[in-house]
Amino acid sequence: AAIAVLAVALAVFAAVPAVADDSDAAGSTVYVDSTIETDDASNSTYKTLTKALGVVGDNGTIILKVNLDASEATTGLSYSGGPNVTLTKAVAIDKSVTIKSADGKKYTIPFALGVKYTNGNGLDYVALENIIVKPAEGDNGFTAHTNNGCVAKVTITGCEFQITPCDAGDFNNGMSGQVAAVLDYMSSDVTITDTDFKIVNGPGNGYTTAVMSWNKDVTVTGCNVTGYS
């Protein structure tokens, strides 16, 4: 009788469907595909970068499978103290993570990226690999800031930043219109390799910079700059 009960228990257990793991597993890998209708947690694939950042664990990897949709970034980010910085359309990075395109591809993120968190003492690292960052007019491409935006190390490899400067007098951030592809204020040691920096929709207006950093080490190797004044 005991054997029969055990057999029934095993049969019932086997009939229970597996539940997709939607937790923040450390070191996990998730994917972003903006063309899908709904999130596919069973295949670790999500419609937005925002959702992928919410699911991926610390020290995890987010892989872009397509160009992202600009409509995802409906709000901005702001930083105060030192230079005040406002990003009008941005997605916040709140954990140590690598964001990259699928192997052999280079997909576009059509909004700004900024390190921003509410708890803790900062992130260990953020790595960007083989992506194109094309933010809205007047927004930085990537921002780290000592005010709730600290990250010890930023590594950017094989990327492209397409920056649209503000029109003269049409400045939408707190630094008199200063726009940078990569801006770090007293936060990160930055290493940038084999990356292109481009001004789009007109030449730079004198307030546009490829990389701007305060009091931190910046190492730049094999990069190209086009269209900057």
Side-chain angles (χ1 to χ4, degrees), residues 150-185:
C150 276
V151 50
K153 185 170 182 59
V154 173
T155 302
I156 299 171
T157 306
C159 293
E160 181 177 311
F161 288 84
Q162 299 180 12
I163 302 303
T164 301
C166 296
D167 291 333
D170 182 23
F171 299 144
N172 63 8
N173 65 39
M175 295 196 305
S176 300
Q178 180 72 63
V179 181
V182 177
L183 183 144
D184 175 84
Y185 178 64

Side-chain angles (χ1 to χ4, degrees), residues 4-114:
V5 171
L6 177 60
V8 171
L10 288 174
V12 171
F13 179 79
V16 177
V19 177
D21 182 3
D22 212 8
S23 63
D24 306 23
S28 58
T29 296
V30 302
Y31 302 86
V32 181
D33 183 350
S34 60
T35 67
I36 61 177
E37 292 187 6
T38 58
D39 294 332
D40 182 6
S42 63
N43 289 307
S44 301
T45 302
Y46 301 90
K47 189 173 178 64
T48 66
L49 178 60
T50 301
K51 182 58 182 287
L53 282 163
V55 172
V56 73
D58 278 325
N59 307 312
T61 299
I62 297 173
I63 299 177
L64 309 185
K65 300 176 74 172
V66 296
N67 296 324
L68 302 192
D69 193 326
S71 64
E72 173 182 348
T74 58
T75 59
L77 296 173
S78 61
Y79 306 83
S80 60
N84 298 323
V85 179
T86 297
L87 307 175
T88 61
K89 295 182 179 181
V91 165
I93 299 173
D94 62 356
K95 60 188 64 173
S96 297
V97 68
T98 297
I99 302 173
K100 60 187 291 187
S101 294
D103 289 348
K105 303 294 184 179
K106 185 176 284 188
Y107 290 120
T108 298
I109 297 177
F111 43 78
L113 299 173

Side-chain angles (χ1 to χ4, degrees), residues 206-226:
Y207 292 93
T208 310
T209 307
V211 181
M212 180 176 294
S213 180
W214 283 260
N215 299 337
K216 289 291 183 176
D217 291 333
V218 178
T219 302
V220 178
T221 306
C223 297
N224 297 298
V225 177
T226 304

